[in-house]
Structures are given as structure tokens and as C-alpha cells.
Amino acid sequence: GAAGDAPMRFAVLDCEDAVKWDGHAIALSRLLSRAGERWEHFRCWNDERPAVVDLPTYAGLVVTGSHHGCNDAHAWIRNLRAFLRHVVEEHPRVRILATCFGHQLLAQALGGAAGPNPGGAFVLRREWLECEDAMLRRDDFRAAAAMFPPASAASEGLRRIRVIESHGDCVTSLPPGATLLASSSTAAVEAFAIGDVALAWQGHPELSAAAIERKILRFVKSRLSAEEREAAVASWSVGGRDDALLLVAMARGFLRGGTCDGDNAEVVTTHYERADEIFRGNVSSSASAGTIRVAADASVDDAATTGFDPATSLADAAEATFLKVSDAVRADVDAVSAEFRHLAAMNQSAGARYAAIGRQVGDAHVFADKVRKVQETGIAPQLARLEEIEASVGSLENVANALDARCAELERRFARVVNGEVGDA
């Protein structure tokens, strides 16, 4: 069809490789998508990102949280940071929504700073955010607040909102040109914006208290005392509801140009509940990566109920099966790759030794040739050294033969892995 008929294209930039979060990209697409859109999944932790040449075709990118730290020395983190900077600088029509780890990485990418929380404490609780005037003036925030008035609206208007947070790092300084949207007692930069291009926040409005307890609380015993864990549960168990749905509605509006047109409280709530089923682990996702499709001919409510185009279910199932098999053999492939790298290093070292010995042999032969020409006597030590060098060459040839045999064995093993013949057989 015509370019105007092409579905809006979005991508989830997945920064979380922990097994317990498997399927969270699908959950985020359910949370944020509308009918007829194309949502894609890139495993950034595997150094996957949208092709730069395709960026003009995207309407928005969603950068997820992660158990990794924004300052961890992983190549994929450095590469994603550079990619985000490129998107903002060169493709300002592509909107970026970033949460938690993504929030921190985006700030760094644009010249801000992020690091450990003040005092080094890990934050896990429902937090009060103090909204700046810039937040209150945003069309997407005001439209979302009309659907889901803040819990404190009766007494404090729209100035204070509550959201669950889980983080060991935070943004410590804003990027140049960024606008502060909200702060809290534990993070001076809870949310910020870069014009109409980027919206980032530290909290997790996508996660319910039940999801937090299932996926995070039980895994932070080493970072929180028993009393702190009890206080965390109390923070989201008492005092009424929080403002997660307000921020979800705001995110949906931001990704589509800053308008919440087409959404209402019922639609947003249904999307949230469908995503929460995956976050809590009550249903399995239909795919682990690739393209996430929403029925093009469905209404928004239908998309929220059914989730995906039934016509793609077999393809999604096949893709999921392939990815699980791929994960099963990935350890073997990595092991073989490591051995190949080690073998290459050994071959390189052997080559250097060959070259050195070759130079010595050449020098020795020149010397012996001169000796033979003048028929000098007393050359026994030099000839003995020549024999020693030639013996070393023979020994090194044996090492090279052993390396060649090992290489052949690794090639056979790699072929078995690629052909799915996993195991010791």
C-alpha cells in the first residue's frame, strides 16, 4: 500500500537477559501497543539494535530496565549508549521512552551522569515523586491525569504522584538541554525529557506490586535487610493505589506524538492487566524475539483482549521454539568459540616462534656455509648449536601437528552443534 498506509513501527530495546524476565518484551508491547501497529524486539544484551538505515521508519523505541548497571563494562552497553545518542541527534522524529536502566543510560548518552544511589542504598519501595511545573504543562501528562487522577489529587492536585521503584543506580546529573520533570527523596532526577524526542523515568509503572514481589523482592535478600524488605512490602500494601496507570497512559500518549486520543481508562487498564499476566508469570509469551504483531483489523479493545494477530501464531510458535533450541546450544557454541580463540592465540604464538627459529636457522646456515668455504677448524660448538636449532624445529612441528589435530576436532564439534547434535555423542 501507500506509505501512509504502513503500520506505525516501534521497537522494544531489551536490556534484560535474566531468565526470570523472559517474555517481558512481549509484556511491554501488550502494555503500550495499539491495534494495527508493528512492534519489534531487539535483545540489546546480545548487541542487537535496529539498523541505522531503518531508523526513519520507526515511530518510537522503548528502552527497558536491567539487572546490569549502567556503568558495567559490557561492550553492548557502550554500543547502546552510542546508538541512543545517534538516534536523538540524527533522528529527532523517533521518540524514545526509557525506564530505570534505560533512563540512566539515556542520560549518560546525552552528556548527563548516572551512578550508585546516594549513600549506596538499594531502593525498593513505592516512592513519592514531586512533579515540576514542566511535567504539569505536558499534554500527555494532563490527558493521562484526566483518565487516572493522582491518588493525592484531592489534597495536592497533580503535584505529587506515587510509583514503585527498584534501583541501585540513579541519574545524578541531567544532560545539557534536558528538562527535569520529577524528583524524589532518593533520586534528584526521577524523570526528565529531551524536547519532544525523549521521555525517561526511574520508576516501574509497568510492574504491579505482585510482579515486584515475584520477580524482585525474593532476589534482593543480600541487598536489603529483613526489616527493609518488610518496609518495602508495606509501602505498596497500605495507603491505597499508586499512579502506575497514569504514567502508563502518559507513555502511550507520548509514543504517538504526545496525544492520548484513542485511549480511555478502560482501554489502558485492560492493556495493563494483560501485560501484568506475563510480568507475574501467569501466562507464557508467544515469542521471545523478533516481530511482535498486533492485529491490523482489530479495534483497540480487541487488541487488548487477544494480544496478537492469530494468523501469526504458528510463526511466533516456531520462532519461540527456535530461540529455545538456540539458547540450549548457546553454551556449547560459546565454549567451542572460546576454544577456537585460544587455538588461534596458540597458533599465533607458534607462528612467532617459527619466525624466530627460521631467522636463527638462516643465520646458522649462512655461518656454516662460510665456514665450509674457508675450511676453518674449531667450529664444533657452532655446528652443535645448529643441530640443536634443527631439533627445536622438529619439536615445534610436532606442536603444530597437535594444534592442527585439535583444530580439526573443534571443527567437527562445531559442526555437530550447528546441526543440532548437542551432547557428548
Side-chain angles (χ1 to χ4, degrees), residues 325 329 333 411-422:
V325 172
V329 302
V333 173
E411 288 174 346
R412 289 191 296 272
R413 181 179 172 192
F414 186 75
R416 289 199 303 272
V417 171
V418 171
N419 293 327
E421 302 171 7
V422 182

Side-chain angles (χ1 to χ4, degrees), residues 227-238:
E227 292 77 13
E228 288 171 328
R229 293 197 301 275
E230 290 177 3
V233 174
S235 73
W236 58 67
S237 299
V238 298

Side-chain angles (χ1 to χ4, degrees), residues 10-24:
F10 297 90
V12 176
L13 305 189
D14 181 0
C15 303
E16 182 56 85
D17 60 348
V19 174
K20 67 180 179 179
W21 291 107
D22 182 42
H24 79 143

